[in-house]
Amino acid sequence: MIKICFVCLGNICRSPMAMFMMQEKLRKLNLEKDFFITSRATSYEEQGNDMHEGAKKVLQENNIPFTKHTASKVQSIDYDDYDYFIGMDEYNVKIMKYLFHNDPKEKVSLLLDRNIEDPWYTGDFEKAYNDIEIGIDNLLNKLEKKKIFQKER
Ligand code: 4NP
């Protein structure tokens, strides 16, 4: 099983969106049993809170199912539990590398080759959705190329 943890600052906007979008993508590919997908924050700002209403709205508009979410901060002891920790921006990556003692197993990466702007500040949940979608497609292609899994043709 491939275990992926998406990470952002508050764990109420970008990383839970990525989590629910990835879960839906994997369901459509019939691969959900091969993956465990979750999400975390780098801060305690929103600890225990549900996903932001703007994130719920954009997921609904795009027919992405979601369940009640509880924001939770990533901890250094989580390092061994996941294969990939995927940050939404450079700051998330920086915090994780510090938390994970410089990431010796190179599990930490950015979802896109640029920052996914924080809709908590910009208010633009649609842009975040579109960027996350590109990032997830890139991630799946990368995992398939590394023969981590095989898409059914
Ligand atoms: P997120 O957005 O990192 O995409 O979940 C944020 C949500 C809350 C805060 C910052 C970013 N906050 O500082 O409370």
Side-chain angles (χ1 to χ4, degrees):
M1 177 173 284
I2 304 147
K3 295 179 175 176
I4 300 177
C5 181
F6 292 106
V7 176
C8 64
L9 179 58
N11 191 217
I12 60 163
C13 301
R14 295 164 295 172
S15 63
M17 284 169 66
M19 169 179 76
F20 290 124
M21 290 164 71
M22 181 73 166
Q23 286 169 346
E24 175 64 1
K25 188 80 75 176
L26 292 169
R27 265 193 297 275
K28 285 194 169 148
L29 292 167
N30 222 5
L31 286 168
E32 75 264 42
K33 289 191 190 73
D34 299 328
F35 286 80
F36 178 76
I37 310 295
T38 192
S39 67
R40 293 277 194 281
T42 58
S43 78
Y44 284 110
E45 289 293 334
E46 300 285 348
Q47 185 80 4
N49 290 346
D50 198 354
M51 197 162 47
H52 191 290
E53 289 304 317
K56 291 183 187 176
K57 186 164 172 276
V58 78
L59 291 181
Q60 266 160 1
E61 284 165 359
N62 288 280
N63 298 313
I64 308 288
F66 58 86
T67 53
K68 185 172 163 30
H69 172 67
T70 306
S72 149
K73 187 189 170 293
V74 66
Q75 307 292 342
S76 33
I77 54 161
D78 295 328
Y79 193 66
D80 290 336
D81 290 345
Y82 298 95
D83 303 299
Y84 300 94
F85 290 88
I86 304 190
M88 300 295 131
D89 61 39
E90 299 274 8
Y91 185 60
N92 308 146
V93 166
K94 188 178 163 188
I95 301 266
M96 282 193 279
K97 287 197 173 165
Y98 177 76
L99 190 69
F100 298 146
H101 310 289
N102 235 358
D103 184 24
K105 293 186 179 163
E106 296 189 354
K107 295 182 175 188
V108 175
S109 63
L110 255 185
L111 182 59
L112 262 190
D113 53 3
R114 56 191 157 82
N115 290 340
I116 294 175
E117 284 175 48
D118 195 337
W120 196 76
Y121 296 106
T122 66
D124 196 343
F125 284 87
E126 219 172 288
K127 184 167 192 294
Y129 179 91
N130 291 331
D131 280 352
I132 292 167
E133 190 168 42
I134 297 167
I136 285 176
D137 286 342
N138 291 350
L139 172 64
L140 281 167
N141 287 335
K142 195 172 80 182
L143 295 178
E144 198 182 18
K145 268 198 198 118
K146 281 169 80 177
K147 309 230 179 293
I148 304 265
F149 74 91
Q150 211 79 57
K151 274 187 210 164
E152 281 175 33
R153 303 266 176 215

